[in-house]
Amino acid sequence: MTIFISHRGNLLGKDLNLENNPTQVETVIKKGYDCEIDLHKVGKKLYLGHDKPQYEISINWLLEHSNRLWIHTKNFDALNLLNSNHKELNYFWHQEDDFTLTSNNFIWTFPEKQTFHNSIIVKLEYEAGYLKNNIFYGICSDYIESYRNEI
């Protein structure tokens, strides 16, 4: 079984107006996809957003969708909060590492690096036939609907 993960809520290409928007994330989840999101903690508040905090959310929102979220913590406070109080969530931290281990022991794999049976491939662009040449558990992409249609 392959896990298909929408990168920040994108389905058929990058859309900066929809990325990390909680409504878009919920739409993606309703379509049957998992979703990678970017989480910031500022003071006592949580936000989604890639380069900066944009959309305020609650811990309850994260918990409600926990079985479909791959949470990229974007600052130490977000990482520390989840690691200290919410180990049931699936989260990770990375910047430019080739690999990072998620809290659920998946190997989040930077583009074009070696993959393993429990790897999540990050492949932001679409390349037809790419999945046939790799060993992996799931794929995270801005073009996740195109990849899903290949399987």
Side-chain angles (χ1 to χ4, degrees):
M1 180 176 142
T2 301
I3 300 295
F4 293 93
I5 305 167
S6 165
H7 182 243
R8 303 180 193 150
N10 292 313
L11 293 169
L12 290 169
K14 190 173 204 140
D15 187 338
L16 297 176
N17 294 319
L18 293 177
E19 286 188 355
N20 282 299
N21 180 313
T23 303
Q24 177 65 12
V25 171
E26 290 172 358
T27 297
V28 164
I29 290 170
K30 286 176 187 169
K31 286 182 164 240
Y33 297 103
D34 283 14
C35 192
E36 181 268 347
I37 58 172
D38 299 313
L39 181 71
H40 301 259
K41 182 174 184 282
V42 180
K44 293 185 177 187
K45 294 184 177 184
L46 297 175
Y47 298 88
L48 298 184
H50 178 63
D51 293 323
K52 63 183 181 190
Q54 284 182 279
Y55 303 100
E56 187 174 349
I57 58 160
S58 68
I59 195 68
N60 287 336
W61 186 88
L62 291 174
L63 293 169
E64 178 183 340
H65 303 292
S66 64
N67 64 331
R68 292 292 192 156
L69 295 178
W70 298 75
I71 305 168
H72 181 180
T73 57
K74 299 299 278 190
N75 62 7
F76 176 79
D77 289 341
L79 177 64
N80 190 43
L81 172 71
L82 300 189
N83 188 54
S84 299
N85 300 306
H86 296 285
K87 292 185 180 184
E88 70 274 24
L89 294 172
N90 184 26
Y91 59 92
F92 61 96
W93 162 272
H94 86 99
Q95 286 186 322
E96 296 180 14
D97 314 335
D98 289 348
F99 310 96
T100 195
L101 194 61
T102 73
S103 60
N104 286 347
N105 292 314
F106 291 98
I107 300 172
W108 195 262
T109 307
F110 205 74
E112 309 307 324
K113 299 299 177 185
Q114 181 179 0
T115 58
F116 308 93
H117 71 279
N118 64 335
S119 290
I120 303 299
I121 298 171
V122 178
K123 183 75 169 166
L124 301 182
E125 67 279 353
Y126 178 67
E127 183 180 332
Y130 180 78
L131 299 181
K132 293 177 183 164
N133 301 320
N134 289 285
I135 299 167
F136 60 94
Y137 183 79
I139 182 169
C140 177
S141 180
D142 289 330
Y143 292 87
I144 203 63
E145 283 196 337
S146 297
Y147 280 114
R148 188 176 191 179
N149 289 335
E150 278 195 19
I151 302 288

